[in-house]
């Protein structure tokens, strides 16, 4: 974590529905909704990596009548964001949600969260080194169940790494289902479906270091 970034106040632009962050959030929420509509499973496991205040998952599931199908674990490092997410979970009465205060960059944080049917990787790939971006995508088969979906975001600031990220997903056994790159903003949102063989996650070990 960087000392210069206040990761609680970072969420303030969500209060402006016209902000790029709010637009990105709505795209992620739409894909979570679409994924739920496509899955008829009685029980689904979801993990949110560096979940922040959990607005993507909480905001989506709060309005769905089938929210009880979902067992979600939101992994977040900042204690203020953890507290905010727990308030949101309680207000939405999402009994299947757990908010875990932990370092999502270590496999140890995922002991009870994987294998997941949906991995939400929003706000992560733009806040780690390029080397860690590659390592994180390569680690996803250890977090994913068969036929899992990954929803991810990444800035397209120069140099734009999203083409390489999309290629890395393909090499790791994922098929691209969607990629949004609006022309008037720098964010992008991708959706990939895992078509490979899940691998067991180790009990611990560094995946990435969040640097902001």
């Amino acid at each position: 974590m960087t000392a210069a970034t206040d990761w609680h106040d970072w969420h303030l632009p969500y209060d402006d529905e016209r902000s790029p962050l709010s637009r990105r959030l709505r795209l992620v929420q739409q894909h979570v909704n679409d994924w739920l509509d496509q899955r008829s499973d009685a029980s689904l496991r979801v993990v949110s990596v560096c979940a922040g205040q959990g607005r993507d998952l909480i905001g989506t599931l709060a309005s769905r009548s089938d929210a009880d199908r979902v067992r979600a674990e939101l992994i977040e490092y900042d204690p203020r964001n953890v507290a905010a997410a727990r308030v949101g979970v309680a207000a939405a009465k999402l009994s299947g949600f757990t908010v875990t205060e932990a370092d999502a960059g270590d496999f140890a944080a995922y002991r009870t969260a994987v294998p997941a049917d949906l991995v939400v990787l929003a706000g992560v790939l733009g806040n780690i080194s390029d080397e860690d971006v590659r390592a994180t995508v390569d680690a996803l088969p250890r977090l994913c169940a068969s036929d899992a979906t990954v929803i991810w975001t990444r800035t397209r600031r120069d140099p734009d790494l999203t083409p390489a990220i999309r290629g890395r997903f393909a090499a790791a056994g994922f098929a691209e289902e969607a990629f949004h790159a609006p022309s008037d903003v720098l964010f992008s949102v991708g959706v990939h479906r895992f078509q490979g063989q899940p691998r067991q996650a180790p009990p611990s070990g560094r995946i990435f270091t969040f640097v902001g």
Side-chain angles (χ1 to χ4, degrees), residues 15-207:
D15 295 332
D16 178 2
E17 65 178 16
R18 298 167 300 177
S19 71
L21 200 58
S22 288
R23 289 175 59 187
R24 192 189 79 177
L25 174 65
R26 289 193 292 272
L27 264 176
V28 172
Q29 289 176 328
Q30 183 58 58
H31 280 295
V32 174
N33 261 316
D34 291 346
W35 173 78
L36 284 165
D37 288 342
Q38 293 162 9
R39 297 288 299 251
S40 60
D41 314 54
S43 179
L44 292 162
R45 180 180 286 187
V46 178
V47 62
S48 181
V49 180
C50 299
Q53 297 177 4
R55 299 189 186 209
D56 37 28
L57 289 177
I58 296 170
T60 304
L61 272 295
S63 61
R64 291 190 64 104
S65 61
D66 61 348
D68 60 351
R69 289 198 296 148
V70 175
R71 296 291 175 267
E73 187 155 354
L74 283 58
I75 302 173
E76 168 59 28
Y77 186 83
D78 188 293
R80 296 167 300 164
N81 287 333
V82 169
R86 287 173 176 164
V87 168
V89 166
K93 299 180 180 179
L94 296 170
S95 60
F97 276 50
T98 300
V99 184
T100 300
E101 184 177 337
D103 178 2
D106 194 305
F107 276 113
Y110 299 88
R111 281 191 295 265
T112 60
V114 298
D117 301 299
L118 173 66
V119 178
V120 179
L121 201 62
V124 178
L125 299 182
N127 290 293
I128 59 180
S129 70
D130 292 354
E131 181 180 356
D132 277 359
V133 168
R134 294 187 288 270
T136 300
V137 175
D138 289 348
L140 286 170
R142 298 185 182 274
L143 305 182
C144 288
S146 296
D147 201 35
T149 294
V150 177
I151 301 173
W152 58 276
T153 68
R154 164 76 190 203
T155 181
R156 288 177 287 119
R157 284 192 300 268
D158 199 36
D160 180 6
L161 196 64
T162 57
I165 292 172
R166 296 162 75 185
R168 198 77 178 191
F169 267 98
F174 291 81
E176 185 170 280
E177 296 202 326
F179 181 72
H180 304 274
S183 60
D184 60 332
V185 289
L186 288 176
F187 73 73
S188 60
V189 177
V191 182
H192 279 75
R193 177 75 63 84
F194 185 46
Q195 297 183 326
Q197 183 67 34
R199 300 169 63 190
Q200 185 172 3
S204 64
R206 179 59 45 187
I207 307 170

